Amino acid sequence: MPTLILVRHGRSTANTSGVLAGWTPGVALDERGAAQAAALPGRLAGLPISEIVTSPLQRCQETLRPLLDARPGLTAHTDERIGEAHYGDWSGRKLAELRDEPLMEVVQAHPSAAAFPGGESMRAMQTRAAEAVREWNARVERDHGSDAVYLMCSHGDIIKSLVADALGLHLDLFQRISVEPCSITAIRYTRLRPFLVRLGDTGDFASLAPREEPPGEDAAVGGGAGAP
């Protein structure tokens, strides 16, 4: 079965302003995110990508633009199932405010029981994304062969949930996974089991350096902004 390259969108204006964007329209890449997107074609230059699939959201579309310009033979297929989690009433709110919501503790420690008010459950988010991957695996294998490589551009929580699915981890453990903006995660699928071969690779280790204000113990809902 194919190898899937998962790219999280580049850093967005919502990431840097500390807002949980969700499906809020008009959330674009910031200056750094645009630079990350511009570097993507070079990072992927050695890969024979057969198909590109993307979330419909603007920040993913902008992330892929340089790659599509560099590979004019490819077009991006939009699939809503790999769009961001539907955070419902939480969308557009400051993450600092959401930390005081009782539901945030559930999102952090027991996400399989979490459902966003006016939105979807985290179980539903993982299920739709995993179903999309399985359908695309079959389509890519049918059209391009079992050793094909294809790419999906999506969002932090979606990618983390797909990694958990590939590793056979319960959704309650997915908050232990971290993927930074414009990071590359690769999963090679086989008939019996997937293999996680890259996780959150940015080629930049700056985010590992000590910070003036250390990161908290909670996972960054939506994925976080990455290195300062």
Side-chain angles (χ1 to χ4, degrees):
M1 295 179 71
T3 295
L4 169 60
I5 307 299
L6 289 161
V7 177
R8 185 182 167 202
H9 62 78
R11 196 174 75 175
S12 73
T13 53
N15 293 145
T16 45
S17 61
V19 168
L20 187 62
W23 286 68
T24 305
V27 177
L29 299 183
D30 67 6
E31 184 176 354
R32 179 170 181 168
Q36 291 170 332
L40 196 58
R43 294 169 63 198
L44 297 172
L47 288 178
I49 297 171
S50 59
E51 298 280 1
I52 292 178
V53 188
T54 182
S55 156
L57 296 174
Q58 178 179 339
R59 51 198 183 274
C60 287
Q61 307 272 343
E62 291 180 354
T63 298
L64 288 178
R65 194 165 297 146
L67 180 62
L68 292 168
D69 288 345
R71 302 199 186 201
L74 289 173
T75 57
H77 305 276
T78 299
D79 193 326
E80 291 197 358
R81 294 173 296 177
I82 63 166
E84 182 61 285
H86 291 279
Y87 296 118
D89 298 344
W90 280 24
S91 299
R93 292 182 60 187
K94 288 279 190 180
L95 287 163
E97 298 172 3
L98 293 171
R99 291 193 189 103
D100 296 328
E101 293 280 353
L103 178 60
M104 181 60 85
E105 187 177 12
V106 182
V107 169
Q108 293 293 325
H110 191 17
S112 66
F116 297 100
E120 69 180 335
S121 70
M122 301 197 88
R123 294 190 316 280
M125 173 199 75
Q126 183 186 45
T127 297
R128 63 172 163 87
E131 287 178 349
V133 166
R134 283 163 174 75
E135 288 182 20
W136 277 100
N137 281 348
R139 176 172 172 175
V140 170
E141 182 173 18
R142 180 196 68 207
D143 294 344
H144 303 283
S146 60
D147 60 348
V149 176
Y150 76 106
L151 181 148
M152 283 184 169
C153 186
S154 188
H155 307 265
D157 281 349
I158 295 290
I159 294 172
K160 288 163 55 178
S161 74
L162 289 171
V163 170
D165 175 76
L167 292 175
L169 292 177
H170 196 284
L171 184 61
D172 286 345
L173 300 178
F174 101 123
Q175 296 290 28
R176 302 183 183 195
I177 299 165
S178 176
V179 289
E180 293 195 2
C182 223
S183 63
I184 292 171
T185 294
I187 302 171
R188 187 174 74 248
Y189 288 87
T190 73
R191 185 174 67 86
L192 296 179
R193 65 182 63 86
F195 292 89
L196 178 66
V197 292
R198 292 287 188 280
L199 176 61
D201 188 346
T202 63
D204 179 1
F205 296 102
S207 64
L208 302 180
R211 303 185 190 181
E212 291 183 9
E213 184 176 340
E217 294 184 357
D218 286 344
V221 179

